[in-house]
Amino acid sequence: AAEAWAKANNAETLEMTEVGQRLEETTERLTWAEVQSQWIAASREFAAEATGAVHVFHSSTGVRLRSIWATVEYLELRLNQNVTQIIYHVVMPDGSDVIVP
């Protein structure tokens, strides 16, 4: 849902950036333990470079509390003075998304 929204709205997800694509290519055969620090760094940088209104997407089943999103990216977005708003989308089981007021 996030990728589809980004493509339709001239935006990008971390995985759509050059850094994200390179990470996916170079780490696909490695374990999460081997690549976690690289994804943390990329997520931190991605959030630190965000500007304006930022759209974030989460599953209707909730946010994993130990995820990079919860422990790194969200905190970085909240500290980023160039981010004017965080808009939350909840992705429903049918693939649709609902914006949380």
Side-chain angles (χ1 to χ4, degrees), residues 6-69:
K7 287 179 179 178
N9 291 279
N10 198 32
E12 62 186 357
T13 67
L14 173 56
E15 290 80 3
M16 294 167 71
T17 67
E18 185 178 325
V19 168
Q21 290 174 2
R22 195 171 46 241
L23 264 175
E24 285 187 333
E25 290 171 8
T26 60
T27 63
E28 68 181 318
R29 289 181 172 77
L30 302 175
T31 67
W32 178 244
E34 294 171 309
V35 302
Q36 184 177 14
S37 63
Q38 294 171 16
W39 279 105
I40 287 171
S43 291
R44 182 174 283 121
E45 183 177 332
F46 184 69
E49 292 177 356
T51 58
V54 174
H55 291 256
V56 298
F57 292 75
H58 296 290
S59 167
S60 61
T61 60
V63 176
R64 291 176 295 129
L65 297 178
R66 294 185 184 188
S67 67
I68 292 175
W69 157 254

